Amino acid sequence: MRTLSIDIETYSPADLPSVGVYRYAAAPGFQVLLFAYAFDDEAVAVVDTTREELPDEVLFALMDPNVEKHAFNASFERVCLSRYVGLPEGQYLDPAQWRCTMVQAAYFGAIGGLANVARFLKVRVEKDAAGTRLINKFSKPQKKPPAREGEDWERFMSYCVRDVEVERAIATDFPGPLPEEEQAVYVADQRINDRGVRIDRTLAAAACDMAEADAHAAKRRLAEVTGLANPNSVGQLLGWLQGRGCAVENCARATLEAELARPDLDADAREAIELRLGSAKASVKKYIVARDAPGTDDRLRGSFMFYGAATGRWAGRLMQLQNMPRGSLSGEDLDAARALVRQGDAEAVRMLYGDVQGVLKSLVRTTLVPEDGHLFAVADYSAIEARVLAWLAGEEWVLEVFRGDGKVYEATASRMFGVPVEQVDKALRAKGKVATLALGYQGGPAALERMGALEAGIPKDELPKIVRMWRNANPRIKGLWPRVEQAVRDALLGRGSSRVCMGRVRVRKAPEVRGFAIELPSGRELFYRNAKVRDEDLHITYEVCSKGAGVKTVETYGGRLVENITQAVARDLLAASLERIEGRGYQPVAHVHDEVVCEVPEAEAEACLDGVRNAMCTAPAWAEDLPLDADGYTCQNYRKE
């Protein structure tokens, strides 16, 4: 098949990082400025599209399913060129015809932008370091638009050509293309991003206005309480708090929240801290994106970054749906508060609920709404990591629980404390739950604390005992950590490949990345580049891309490797279910961790929900003995139930 490698330079009055590529390309005034391309291994050519049209051969190739289009971060080129060739908003060039070199790089262990990946891989063609200055000059709005000619414009054209050369050089560093199975998942991901999810912009705009007014009021009150000229100044506020007996070294959220827990905290200091925390909710930024980033059809597109993590999991973009606050409101209270915010009635919100910012935090999810006549069908894998970990380790008693009533927290507490499961009370269940969530990857007391053990009422001096009891109750999981670590060490030291995780996972030396690879049950591999065993302590290290320096050395160990494997398998299950759901004709518009959100006709909502859950619980052939379950519900706006 013929290939077409592409890089473009563009202009838009919209701010790309703030609104994403879909809104960026749909903005009035958007232009493709330069189009650099090369067929197969031919030399790179560049077209100044402000002065001339693309050659017919190139235009036809953009539509031809027999020509593979290649680009680094291909979704940018694909979406922008959809606008260039005249497709209306909401319609895009077929992602099945595109191959993304950024995704290929991520698959083979090099996650990052073009410049960082090129530096990390030490490709023979270096990216032009002057590109940022040229992009700022030509691609971003200026008070006085620059002339698109002269030395800098010529340099910009060369920069565009160089990016195609760098992209092709990067692609040759890898042992092969993205596997076809992963390419299929990428295509499904792009279709979900193209579809987008509808946003209640009335709610988003009202929430932005309410948050801004509340923040101004909080600032005024903070100035009254502290007497500071600029209470937003960290230095001034820190000094004032220290003068009120607060032993704080910074104004980070965690630090201030810990200070609030002090029963003897000065009353003014308490109010000041509450005002500071209340006016700094990250949820407000999500409302701004919800207000500004959707298209003219109110659909927010481009929320998911494929292969955004080394395990293959997705990363969030724009509203960061992978990191949504839960909030404290639910049910009828949530609906009532939502109606008041949409009406802009801040006084009623404050009177009924007290904390305006807290209410807005609870409502962020509900900005996602289905089209008229539709509902959301939301299905979520139940305890997926606990199931996968037990399956990989062969912890049969856990699997039996999941094949039965699924009450793994109660069963864990029963096994830890030696009491019948029917005698497990609320306190013991809490211990079983936090232990299950925190300790599967070789964590200790600190892991229990991070998972909320202290907030659950578990005394700190009891945490080491809980760690020991959980490990005694899960001997096969405990034994898996050193076995996986030793398998990696053996591979790197040339002792051959090993099968671990009940024979479902293979660890091998990977000379193609100068490190090691972990072959998952699905056949997908995790690559660890430039890995070695340190002579002095036998610790395992590998290298990843990092911003600025280009290379960062990471140390790993058995529990962390087991975590990588477990999360990667969970990811593969979600990926398979997304493909299956799409193939059965449902409309996935979002997915959050192990949850899928589909937009379905209201009259068929319950039947569609059953179909989605069935698709998620149908295990692929490589995991046919893994017990899966998915909870689900329908709703008129996205929420947690």
Side-chain angles (χ1 to χ4, degrees):
M1 180 178 285
R2 203 176 188 198
T3 65
L4 176 63
S5 298
I6 301 170
D7 184 77
I8 61 175
E9 302 301 336
T10 58
Y11 168 85
S12 176
D15 180 55
L16 180 61
S18 300
V19 301
V21 64
Y22 290 87
R23 185 72 186 89
Y24 173 89
F30 167 81
Q31 288 180 275
V32 174
L33 304 177
L34 302 173
F35 187 107
Y37 68 95
F39 284 100
D40 301 321
D41 295 325
E42 296 175 3
V44 182
V46 61
V47 177
D48 179 349
T49 48
T50 68
R51 291 178 169 82
E52 55 183 314
E53 298 292 327
L54 288 180
D56 288 344
E57 179 187 26
V58 176
L59 278 173
F60 293 149
L62 289 176
M63 307 291 190
D64 188 348
N66 295 311
V67 177
E68 275 188 358
K69 275 68 74 173
H70 290 237
F72 195 94
N73 189 18
S75 61
F76 180 83
E77 271 74 14
R78 185 177 64 84
V79 172
C80 289
L81 291 173
S82 298
R83 177 76 186 275
Y84 178 80
V85 301
L87 293 178
E89 185 179 1
Q91 295 183 27
Y92 304 95
L93 293 169
D94 183 3
Q97 300 176 23
W98 288 73
R99 300 294 185 273
C100 181
T101 310
M102 183 172 75
V103 169
Q104 182 188 18
Y107 181 84
F108 288 107
I111 295 177
L114 181 60
N116 286 341
V117 170
R119 192 181 303 115
F120 177 65
L121 298 177
K122 300 181 177 64
V123 299
R124 62 183 181 273
V125 181
E126 293 185 3
K127 183 172 167 63
D128 188 345
T132 299
R133 179 183 68 84
L134 297 170
I135 288 172
N136 288 336
K137 179 175 181 177
F138 293 114
S139 293
K140 296 183 179 181
Q142 307 287 343
K143 290 183 178 180
K144 183 179 180 181
R148 292 167 179 167
E149 59 186 11
E151 183 177 344
D152 268 358
W153 186 251
E154 294 295 325
R155 182 81 179 269
F156 200 34
M157 295 176 70
S158 298
Y159 170 80
C160 191
V161 168
R162 180 63 59 88
D163 274 3
V164 175
E165 295 171 343
V166 172
E167 179 268 329
R168 293 201 299 184
I170 285 173
T172 63
D173 184 86
F174 305 117
L178 187 71
E180 284 304 312
E181 296 82 3
E182 282 302 296
Q183 174 64 21
V185 181
Y186 170 73
V187 171
D189 162 82
Q190 293 294 285
R191 295 199 195 285
I192 292 170
N193 274 312
D194 287 354
R195 183 177 298 129
V197 60
R198 188 185 180 202
I199 296 294
D200 183 342
R201 288 175 103 164
T202 299
L203 173 63
C208 287
D209 292 343
M210 195 172 292
E212 184 178 3
D214 190 69
H216 284 314
K219 182 179 177 181
R220 288 194 300 271
R221 178 58 185 161
L222 188 57
E224 293 172 3
V225 171
T226 62
L228 296 173
N230 180 14
N232 281 350
S233 165
V234 171
Q236 289 185 32
L237 182 59
L238 190 60
W240 185 87
L241 289 171
Q242 290 169 347
R244 294 297 184 283
C246 298
V248 291
E249 299 297 327
N250 56 63
C251 288
R253 173 170 292 275
T255 301
L256 296 181
E257 287 177 344
E259 194 68 9
L260 283 177
R262 280 180 46 206
D264 60 339
L265 183 62
D266 174 82
D268 285 344
R270 181 177 299 279
E271 183 178 3
I273 290 174
E274 289 173 344
L275 288 166
R276 168 81 181 185
L277 292 175
S279 63
K281 300 285 188 184
S283 54
V284 175
K285 297 178 181 178
K286 296 182 185 293
Y287 283 116
I288 294 172
V289 173
R291 180 191 65 191
D292 297 343
T296 56
D297 57 359
D298 291 340
R299 296 189 79 87
L300 177 68
R301 298 179 170 88
S303 294
F304 309 100
M305 179 182 176
F306 186 73
Y307 233 102
T311 58
R313 284 195 160 190
W314 280 262
R317 290 293 180 265
L318 298 174
M319 276 189 76
Q320 295 287 349
L321 302 183
Q322 314 286 18
N323 185 28
M324 296 286 269
R326 191 172 191 116
S328 59
L329 299 180
S330 61
E332 293 181 359
D333 284 339
L334 187 73
D335 292 330
R338 189 177 190 278
L340 292 173
V341 172
R342 287 186 97 248
Q343 296 164 13
D345 194 342
E347 287 305 313
V349 170
R350 192 173 290 108
M351 180 179 67
L352 292 172
Y353 304 103
D355 179 11
V356 170
Q357 298 288 342
V359 168
L360 296 181
K361 176 181 176 181
S362 292
L363 294 178
V364 171
R365 293 173 188 268
T366 72
T367 56
L368 277 60
V369 294
E371 292 290 344
D372 294 344
H374 291 70
L375 293 176
F376 284 147
V378 183
D380 185 15
Y381 277 123
S382 174
I384 189 63
E385 282 195 35
R387 292 169 186 265
V388 171
L389 178 58
W391 181 70
L392 291 170
E395 199 69 78
E396 192 59 33
W397 74 265
V398 178
L399 295 175
E400 282 303 312
V401 171
F402 284 127
R403 293 185 186 108
D405 60 18
K407 295 182 178 180
V408 71
Y409 303 146
E410 291 85 349
T412 299
S414 170
R415 200 170 180 92
M416 287 172 63
F417 295 98
V419 300
V421 70
E422 59 270 15
Q423 293 181 19
V424 172
D425 58 16
K426 185 176 180 181
L428 285 182
R429 183 185 185 277
K431 294 176 181 179
K433 178 178 180 179
V434 73
T436 299
L437 296 175
L439 300 180
Y441 306 127
Q442 210 171 341
L448 288 169
E449 288 192 47
R450 288 193 296 272
M451 195 56 67
L454 302 183
E455 291 81 355
I458 303 173
K460 188 166 185 175
D461 60 3
E462 193 178 336
L463 300 185
K465 179 182 177 182
I466 288 178
V467 172
R468 290 193 300 271
M469 295 173 75
W470 185 89
R471 292 182 179 184
N472 289 338
N474 294 273
R476 296 193 66 90
I477 293 175
K478 177 184 175 182
L480 185 59
W481 308 327
R483 285 199 298 275
V484 171
E485 182 173 330
Q486 189 58 48
V488 170
R489 198 176 285 118
D490 287 345
L492 290 173
L493 295 175
R495 298 170 184 160
S497 62
S498 303
R499 286 265 172 197
V500 292
C501 302
M502 304 297 291
R504 297 181 173 108
V505 171
R506 184 169 76 102
V507 180
R508 67 174 180 87
K509 190 170 186 175
E512 64 270 34
V513 297
R514 297 171 295 281
F516 66 95
I518 297 176
E519 183 182 331
L520 302 167
S522 66
R524 182 168 69 96
E525 289 191 292
L526 304 179
F527 289 90
Y528 297 77
R529 302 185 71 92
N530 304 326
K532 60 184 66 175
V533 177
R534 288 201 308 232
D535 292 335
E536 63 272 22
D537 54 17
L538 296 183
H539 288 187
I540 300 163
T541 65
Y542 62 98
E543 292 181 348
V544 298
C545 282
S546 69
K547 293 182 179 179
V551 178
K552 180 180 179 182
T553 299
V554 176
E555 185 175 314
T556 192
Y557 58 93
R560 180 64 54 80
L561 291 162
V562 170
E563 180 181 30
N564 291 170
I565 295 168
T566 302
Q567 293 186 350
V569 171
R571 176 270 187 196
D572 287 347
L573 291 167
L574 177 67
S577 72
L578 285 172
E579 288 187 272
R580 194 178 298 114
I581 289 166
E582 187 86 38
R584 293 183 182 182
Y586 303 114
Q587 296 281 302
V589 294
H591 50 92
V592 182
H593 300 305
D594 304 309
E595 179 181 78
V596 179
V597 183
C598 293
E599 190 173 65
V600 300
E602 185 172 2
E604 305 166 19
E606 290 301 325
C608 289
L609 175 60
D610 288 342
V612 172
R613 291 180 65 245
N614 177 267
M616 294 178 70
C617 295
T618 302
W622 51 264
E624 60 184 2
D625 58 340
L626 171 60
L628 295 174
D629 191 24
D631 298 322
Y633 55 93
T634 61
C635 51
Q636 294 179 330
N637 45 65
Y638 181 50
R639 59 183 64 201
K640 277 291 183 185
E641 289 194 359

